[in-house]
Each structure stands twice: as C-alpha cells, then as structure tokens.
Amino acid sequence: MGLAGWAVAEFGSGPERLDVPLGVHLAARAAVNHAGLSRADITGVVLAGSDALDGRLISSMHMAGPAGGYLKDETKVVDDPSVALASAVWRVSSGADRAVLVVSWHSPAESDPFNAVSPDPEPVFSRPVGAHPLAAEALAVTRWLHAHGLSADRFDSLTAFLTPDKADDDRLWFTPLRAAHVAPVDGAAVAVLVSAAGARAEIKAVDFASDSALPLEQHPDPVGRLRQRMLARTGSDPAHAEVIETTDRTVFRLVMAANALGLGQPSEVADAVIEGGLSHLQPSGGLFRRNAGYAAGLERIVCAAEAVERGALSALAHCSYGRAGQGHSLTVLGAPS
C-alpha cells in the first residue's frame, strides 16, 4: 500500500486568510485530485485534530464534512496525524478500506495556543501544576543539553540560518526557548492512502511509541529504541534512508532528532546543518519553511513522499509529538515495487 496523493495548505493571514473549514476542504480536494480519484472512490476518512488548539469543542465533528467525511466511515485520532496515518494503514491492510483520506489541520488564528493548552489535562492522572507544554519542552531540551555538555547559546547560529527574518526575536518564553527558536504555525495537511495500484510512494514500514509525559522521567533515547524495534521487524535501519524529514518544531529538536537518528554527535550536527553537510536532512526546508503545527507530523510524511516522487529510493519521516516530545513515530516510504 502507499500514498497516491497529498496536499498541504496554508490558511494565510489578514483579510485574505482562508476560513479553516474552507482551507481544509481545499486541501482535501487537492489531495484527492492529485491521486487521480474522486470522493466516490474514498471509502474512509481518518481525522486528526485538537479541540483546544482549534478553540472549539469536538472540532473534528465540525471538520468532518469539509474534510470529505460526509456519509463516509470516520476515525478520529487525537495523538498525532502520523498516528492517524498508521490507523489508515491498519484499515487498508485489514481490507476494510480501499482508499482512505487522512486529514489534519492547525490554525492558531482561531485560538491562542499558549492559553489553549494551559489547562491541558494530559497526563490524566498526574498532571503537575504549571506544566505548560512549552515549559515541559524547555525542561526536555535543558536535560538533553546538560547530558551532552552543550550550551543553548551555540544554537543561535542555527536560528539565524533557519529563520534569518526572526533570528533577533529575543522574547524569552521558557528558558532556554526564545521566540526565534520556535517555528511559525499555520495550515493543513492531507494524504490519500490506497491499497496498491496508483500509489506514488509505497509505505514500507510504520511504527510509533509513547513515553512518559514528565520530561525528567522520559527514556534518554526513545527514537533509538524505536529504530531498534523497526530494525528487528524489517531487517533494515530506517535511519539509513536517502532522505530524512523530521518535525523540527524548535532548532533544538532538529539537532536532537538528527543525533537520535545516528546522523552525528550533538556537538557536530548543528554545524553540519549550517554548512550543508547533511543535505539529505530536511531537503524540504523543514518546519521553519512551512509548519502546519499540530498537523506537522503528516506534513513531514508528505514531504518524504515528495522526495520519493522526485526519485529518492527511500525516505524516512520522523515525527515527535505530545508533551516534551513524549511520542515518536517513524514512517518509511519508498518507490512503488
């Protein structure tokens, strides 16, 4: 099975900004057209959205129609859109569906994400007071920097490389995270998964795992564990792909992922990115070029599929999600066999 079509949309800003349901609808229609299919060919829809980030209750219910789910079998996933894709893979591989539309979106203009996630009840049983997701991310980053003997100041040159237009934005959110360290957010991502014929990029393997939501209790190398599990199952290391796309929501996450995927030591990876020494990492430009926020995991998979369509024999999409990157997924794509 594989991806037959895909699309990524930006909602824009100001008076020209697209209404979110319209933006999602246009992205879904573009993906179906790219697949050479019609809505009648779609047998199921998997939606990945966040009520808090959308600023409305049961957001996926409101978005099901615009996303193409009217009178279709629907599945709603809240963890991450990369997990939504895995759900679609299960549906198709089981024979329950022939073609599944995977749809995700995020529009911070609808709701201030900083305020929206403050009362987030995750984890359900032991939520530490004041553990805002950005504070948790800052704790995870600080722990990683300390473990490798690195200073956050070293990443300022990477910030200037990735976002020269906002490199001087020194607004401090949670130490060491500054505004310039975090990718801007807006948009939607859609992919069409089909059983066999018509796939532009074949899905070779997909896996995901979740860790503790408490930064100081997380495993020091969750991506490494996931790589080993996939290696044992498939016989190949997913990190050996020709192209690697990752959810670099912060400049720190880019280097953390590159290190976890075995691309180099932490002290070397940032310099390698700036000097162009890792040309197979983020050839799309990463989330600092185009970031669909909550939908970023699916957008990374779309970028990996685009690399395969351009001629890459294999491409890996690594996605981190949840509080302090508690969840990780790996999706390996390749040329149709």
Side-chain angles (χ1 to χ4, degrees):
M1 79 189 71
L3 300 182
W6 50 79
V8 175
E10 296 181 16
F11 299 138
S13 59
E16 303 297 322
R17 182 179 179 279
L18 287 176
D19 178 67
V20 177
L22 176 59
V24 169
H25 168 70
L26 293 176
R29 186 170 67 179
V32 172
N33 290 341
H34 185 228
L37 302 175
S38 68
R39 203 182 80 86
D41 297 314
I42 302 299
T43 57
V45 177
V46 181
L47 305 173
S50 167
D51 293 358
L53 295 175
D54 282 348
R56 66 178 78 179
L57 294 176
I58 320 179
S59 175
S60 55
M61 179 184 294
H62 294 283
M63 301 300 290
Y70 181 65
L71 296 181
K72 302 290 183 182
D73 188 27
E74 298 173 28
T75 300
K76 299 178 175 67
V77 176
V78 297
D79 280 348
D80 187 74
S82 62
V83 180
L85 181 77
S87 175
V89 167
W90 298 331
R91 291 179 59 147
V92 172
S93 61
S94 70
D97 283 298
R98 298 184 305 277
V100 177
L101 199 60
V102 184
V103 185
S104 187
W105 62 89
H106 183 173
S107 180
E110 296 291 302
S111 173
D112 182 348
F114 291 140
N115 293 330
V117 297
S118 294
D120 189 352
E122 169 66 22
V124 175
F125 298 106
S126 59
R127 176 166 63 94
V129 176
H132 188 285
L134 273 179
E137 177 69 11
L139 277 174
V141 168
T142 300
R143 181 192 184 199
W144 183 83
L145 291 173
H146 179 74
H148 295 285
L150 298 175
S151 168
D153 295 338
R154 183 168 183 174
F155 289 76
D156 287 340
S157 57
L158 186 57
T159 297
F161 173 74
L162 294 173
T163 57
D165 58 329
K166 59 177 288 190
D168 295 328
D169 192 342
D170 285 327
R171 286 177 297 157
L172 181 64
W173 287 346
F174 294 93
T175 304
L177 292 180
R178 295 187 290 107
H181 290 147
V182 182
V185 175
D186 192 40
V190 182
V192 181
L193 183 72
V194 297
S195 55
R200 299 169 185 264
E202 183 178 340
I203 295 180
K204 303 292 187 180
V206 60
D207 201 356
F208 62 91
S210 187
D211 202 344
S212 170
L214 304 177
L216 299 182
E217 294 182 6
Q218 290 180 357
H219 189 277
D221 186 19
V223 179
R225 287 197 304 179
L226 200 54
R227 283 173 59 196
Q228 290 301 315
R229 194 165 76 184
M230 191 173 281
L231 173 62
R233 196 172 73 246
T234 66
S236 61
D237 187 341
H240 292 165
E242 286 187 21
V243 169
I244 296 177
E245 294 283 349
T246 182
T247 45
D248 55 332
R249 290 187 173 89
T250 72
V251 294
F252 302 102
R253 279 287 169 190
L254 174 60
V255 179
M256 291 165 72
N259 171 239
L261 292 169
L263 303 186
Q265 294 301 313
S267 59
E268 303 167 354
V269 173
D271 295 334
V273 170
I274 295 173
E275 295 169 3
L278 296 174
S279 58
H280 67 305
L281 175 67
Q282 304 292 68
S284 68
L287 298 188
F288 283 86
R289 180 182 68 86
R290 185 184 65 191
N291 180 13
Y294 178 84
L298 185 58
E299 183 183 27
R300 295 297 89 200
I301 294 170
V302 165
C303 289
E306 290 174 338
V308 170
E309 191 174 38
R310 289 193 301 268
L313 295 179
S314 61
L316 168 67
H318 160 253
C319 310
S320 64
Y321 55 90
R323 192 180 296 272
Q326 73 186 90
H328 293 270
S329 70
L330 298 176
T331 305
V332 180
L333 299 99
S337 55

